[in-house]
Amino acid sequence: MNFWLIKSEPAVFGFSDLQAVAAEPWNGVRNYQARNFLRQMRRGDLCLFYHSNAKPPGVAGVAKVVREAYPDDLQFDPQSPYVDPASTPQNPRWSAVDVAAVAPLPNFLPLAVLREVAELAAMPLLQKGSRLSVMPISQAQFVVTVRLGGLDDLAQQLEAGCG
DNA sequence: GCCAACGTTGGC
DNA sequence: GCCAACGTTGGC
């Protein structure tokens, strides 16, 4: 299993919005590096759900991948701001996955708190200039984060290897 | 292929 | 609102 961090602006789509639906297409990603990470996602992979452009920004919950990469519909939609005229159904440029909520963090973890955790110092999110909306993280980083966030059971399951 | 200009992200 | 960092575009 792999672990990821995905960003969303809560004013647009926050973790509570994810909890309100069975699954949500993670589309509109228009950065090649982020797209390539989307394509590496596998069913069952777990994601930290990060609120960007928020007050405060931080990790709000845990989500999981429920459908692996498929062509992002929005690239063909002339009405969408995410349309890409250079993309064709025969050769789609952009991908989406579907994600579903697993659990909210009982303790929301603000970015400022994450920065103080030594075990998380290498997380891509915390690197200078990091702007990717989808990034890989290690299992250790995921476990440390969800434990800090109050999901002790999930942390324990993953450490026991039966996650 | 270089690089300046521009747009976007996202914390503060 | 500001601005640093980064990606993309397009002229040459």
Side-chain angles (χ1 to χ4, degrees):
Chain A
M1 188 192 317
N2 290 307
F3 299 87
W4 310 92
L5 183 145
I6 58 178
K7 289 183 190 173
S8 186
E9 303 191 18
V12 178
F13 190 88
F15 192 75
S16 60
D17 297 307
L18 187 64
Q19 290 178 280
V21 296
E24 179 73 10
W26 211 253
N27 51 22
V29 172
R30 295 293 178 269
N31 170 284
Y32 286 105
Q33 208 180 339
R35 180 204 67 180
N36 293 341
F37 288 138
L38 282 183
R39 291 180 175 177
Q40 291 170 29
M41 287 182 167
R42 293 297 169 260
R43 222 178 125 82
D45 283 0
L46 293 175
C47 310
L48 298 176
F49 193 107
Y50 178 85
H51 282 177
S52 62
N53 255 322
K55 295 178 179 179
V59 177
V62 173
K64 67 180 172 187
V65 177
V66 295
R67 182 182 174 191
E68 296 179 7
Y70 59 95
D72 179 348
D73 296 335
L74 300 181
Q75 68 196 309
F76 308 122
D77 180 358
Q79 306 303 318
S80 169
Y82 298 109
V83 67
D84 185 345
S87 197
T88 64
Q90 291 72 33
N91 189 17
R93 180 177 291 181
W94 304 110
S95 299
V97 300
D98 287 356
V99 297
V102 172
L105 292 194
N107 314 316
F108 177 85
L109 287 179
L111 178 60
V113 169
L114 298 177
R115 289 196 189 284
E116 291 168 359
V117 182
E119 296 98 313
L120 300 180
M123 272 215 303
L125 176 76
L126 304 181
Q127 305 316 303
K128 189 175 180 181
S130 154
R131 295 192 324 188
L132 279 182
S133 59
V134 179
M135 41 186 125
I137 63 174
S138 71
Q139 170 161 343
Q141 290 161 350
F142 184 90
V143 167
V144 165
T145 305
V146 297
R147 177 167 286 129
L148 272 175
L151 293 177
D152 301 290
D153 290 352
L154 178 58
Q156 213 155 347
Q157 276 175 35
L158 290 168
E159 279 182 335
C162 48

